[in-house]
Amino acid sequence: MKASNVINDILSRRDPRGYYVIPAKREALGLVSRFEGVEVEEAGDVIVVRVKARSVARRIALMLSRRGLLVTEF
């Protein structure tokens, strides 16, 4: 699946609490912690980034995609 399709999929849905959910590799932990309003859950080699703001979710997803840290398949 192309990265742009994955990003569009991430931004098209929210979880029941209203957060955008972005799966990323564990190496992305330091990068996403710089953003405000971000919740991070660790699950093995993957982290789950949750954020309310669509603009922040888009910036994070694009940054992770460019660095190869966005998880596109489970």
Side-chain angles (χ1 to χ4, degrees):
M1 184 181 258
K2 293 176 75 173
S4 61
N5 292 341
V6 173
I7 293 171
N8 288 336
D9 188 45
I10 289 169
L11 297 176
S12 69
R13 295 184 280 155
R14 291 182 174 220
D15 73 357
R17 296 186 317 163
Y19 284 86
Y20 294 100
V21 179
I22 306 167
K25 296 180 182 174
R26 181 171 284 284
E27 297 84 28
L29 189 58
L31 296 171
V32 298
S33 63
R34 298 185 292 181
F35 291 90
E36 289 190 33
V38 172
E39 293 181 12
V40 178
E41 295 177 22
E42 298 180 34
D45 292 338
V46 175
I47 61 171
V48 177
V49 181
R50 297 181 190 278
V51 61
K52 282 266 189 181
R54 181 182 174 89
S55 62
V56 175
R58 180 172 170 72
R59 287 187 7 221
I60 291 172
L62 285 170
M63 176 190 65
L64 294 175
S65 176
R66 285 186 200 119
R67 296 175 187 220
L69 298 173
L70 188 64
V71 174
T72 58
E73 295 180 15
F74 292 96

